[in-house]
Amino acid sequence: MSSPSAAPRPQTTPEPTSEPTPEPTPELRALAAAGPRRIVVLGSTGSIGTQALDVVRAANRLDGGAPFRVVALAAGRGRLPLLAEQAVETRAAVVATSGSGEDAQELARRIGERAAAAGAGDYRPEILHGPEAATAAAAHPEADLVLNGITGSIGLAPTLAALRAGHRLALANKESLIAGGALVKEAAAASGRPDALIPVDSEHSALAQALRGGSAAEVDRLVLTASGGPFRGRTRAELEAVTPREALRHPTWDMGVMVTTNSASMVNKALEVLEAHLLFDVPLERIDVVVHPQSVVHSMVQFVDGSTLAQASPPDMRLPIALGLAWPHRVPGAAAACDWTRATEWTFEPLDRDAFPAVELIKAAGERGGTHPAVFNAANEEAVHAFHDGRIRFPAIVDTVETVLGEHQDGGVLDLGAVLEAERWARRRAQEVLAR
Ligand SMILES: NC(=O)C1=CN([C@@H]2O[C@H](COP(=O)(O)OP(=O)(O)OC[C@H]3O[C@@H](n4cnc5c(N)ncnc54)[C@H](OP(=O)(O)O)[C@@H]3O)[C@@H](O)[C@H]2O)C=CC1
Ligand SMILES: CC(=O)[C@@H](O)[C@H](O)COP(=O)(O)O
Ligand SMILES: [Mn+2]
């Protein structure tokens, strides 16, 4: 099978503007003057990772000094040439691959060749390899902030490692929060840092922006927007015939294979509802989803007096990534703004819960708590792989999640061992269900 993460990487978003370089804000100048923020980029070769490096490159070109310095990079083993190129460009002290010793040797060779060609022959980063490599990179002692752009719940150990090392965590890897839940929140609280956990997911970045400076009591509901994905408007019967290629044709975002497939099934929105609950402590019954096909309004907060605040910008992840890296500061020119001189239409419609039951399913799993959310995610990851392998039809992804969740017996303890054991069980059980 070809694993989803091994499929061709979607292109990153083009440069937003050819206008003159914007001026840095006083806050960003101060950040640079205090010494650049030292960052670790996990999943650096993916959609989030490459856009994060675009943000760093652009921000460091602003007048007033470089606000960021990359101290470590980590990726899988799928794109070693790109990882080597990134290492030489950033001069990261640590470069990690989840691959084997042979992969590490190939990475070192490629870095050596590229460094020599770039006139930086003395650049010799520490190279880490193996399943724990990203976790070690996340705990890098010189780091201030870790961006987790790994895909899947394999990102949980690095998420915990970053927080336990006392680093601020800019979190794109929503699966680690879903699987780890209270464990991740505890690690964030124990770090003693205000704003230890900064959301990078576009909806949660929007919510964090709308919630800044307010109080919990004034919030009535959170409203997450969903593009509707490529299958918006299809019935469940019609979804039986859709292909992996069609599932990867996202209408508004260029992203990795797993999150794109999850957008098509609404599993992404389901994960995001629970992510919002965990990040902002709003009960699940007060979190709604509305379909907004243009993906310009990234989410909304409805307040008790009937007011609603929405965050709007053209779909471009560089904005929430830049805010995550520079938090609480904004990076001028991170992405293009809305063009209000042109006629524009934003539309909103309800989610079809019969064709797309994932959101209801995760709300039930979230209410049951414990390891149920980890089981939801792990079963989904297995089912997505099976769909891309041609082993199942599209609706069987969420059907499999529902079956496995329905059988799950929570042991009543939530520690890392319990989460990992529940995940192992869910993956095994999902494989059995998928094979039927
Ligand atoms: N892309 C987007 O716009 C958005 C993404 N997100 C979330 O961000 C996360 C990343 O998504 P996306 O960038 O699209 O995914 P991609 O598939 O594009 O990238 C995944 C990255 O993770 C790396 N990776 C895989 N396994 C490991 C491992 N064991 N150790 C270290 N690195 C590993 C991959 O390396 P390799 O190249 O070697 O395979 C790659 O760099 C997901 O959780 C997603 O839901 C959230 C909002 C928007
Ligand atoms: C860009 C981002 O944050 C993705 O998670 C996005 O939300 C996916 O789009 P959907 O709204 O289709 O799930
Ligand atoms: Mn999102």
Side-chain angles (χ1 to χ4, degrees), residues 5 43-48 75-79 98 134 149-152 154 172-175 201 254-257 259 317:
S5 65
S44 65
T45 53
S47 162
I48 290 290
R77 59 182 300 275
R79 291 167 267 207
S98 66
I150 295 175
T151 206
I154 191 91
N173 175 252
K174 64 195 92 181
E175 300 93 329
D201 209 347
D254 286 334
M255 309 181 289
V257 170
V259 59
M317 278 306 293

Side-chain angles (χ1 to χ4, degrees), residues 174 200-204 225 253 255 259 263 268-269 272 275 317:
K174 64 195 92 181
V200 169
D201 209 347
S202 61
E203 296 75 4
H204 307 76
T225 50
W253 298 99
M255 309 181 289
V259 59
S263 290
N268 184 49
K269 216 45 57 181
E272 292 182 346
E275 183 185 7
M317 278 306 293

Side-chain angles (χ1 to χ4, degrees), residues 226-229 261-271 289 291 351 356-359 394 398:
S227 73
T261 311
N262 289 348
S263 290
S265 65
M266 287 293 154
V267 163
N268 184 49
K269 216 45 57 181
L271 298 175
V289 171
V291 175
L351 174 64
F356 300 101
V359 170
F394 190 71
V398 176

